[in-house]
Amino acid sequence: MIFKAFFLVRKTLDLTTGSNRRLCKVFAVENGQQLETRIASAILNLKADGYDSVELDDCWNISEPSDFLR
C-alpha cells in the first residue's frame, strides 16, 4: 500500500507569525502497523530537522482507486 501523509510543521521563529507549513511524505508499507511506525519516524526526523511543532494533518491511501474524482 502507498500512502501520502501531510504534516503541519512550525519552527520556533514562526510561532509569532502563526504560519504553519504543510509538508507531504509518501510511504510504501505492507500493513497499518508499519504505517504508524513510518509516521512516527517521520515526525522524529522533522523535529531533528529543526521543526518544534509537528503533527499529522491528513493521510491518504493512494494505491487504491478513489471515488473522490467521479
Side-chain angles (χ1 to χ4, degrees), residues 50-69:
Y51 293 103
D52 299 308
S53 172
V54 179
E55 62 183 73
L56 180 66
D57 183 41
D58 207 349
C59 189
W60 295 77
N61 183 346
I62 60 173
S63 59
E64 296 182 13
S66 172
D67 290 336
F68 181 71
L69 298 176

Side-chain angles (χ1 to χ4, degrees), residues 5-47:
F6 296 92
F7 297 90
L8 289 178
V9 298
R10 186 185 294 194
K11 290 188 177 186
T12 302
L13 298 176
D14 296 335
L15 289 177
T16 56
T17 62
S19 61
N20 285 336
R21 293 183 183 180
R22 195 168 191 221
L23 299 178
C24 176
K25 301 260 185 201
V26 176
F27 304 112
V29 296
E30 294 180 12
N31 58 44
Q33 185 176 4
Q34 285 182 343
L35 177 62
E36 289 179 16
T37 302
R38 296 288 302 275
I39 288 172
S41 177
I43 290 172
L44 290 175
N45 288 337
L46 288 168
K47 287 183 177 182

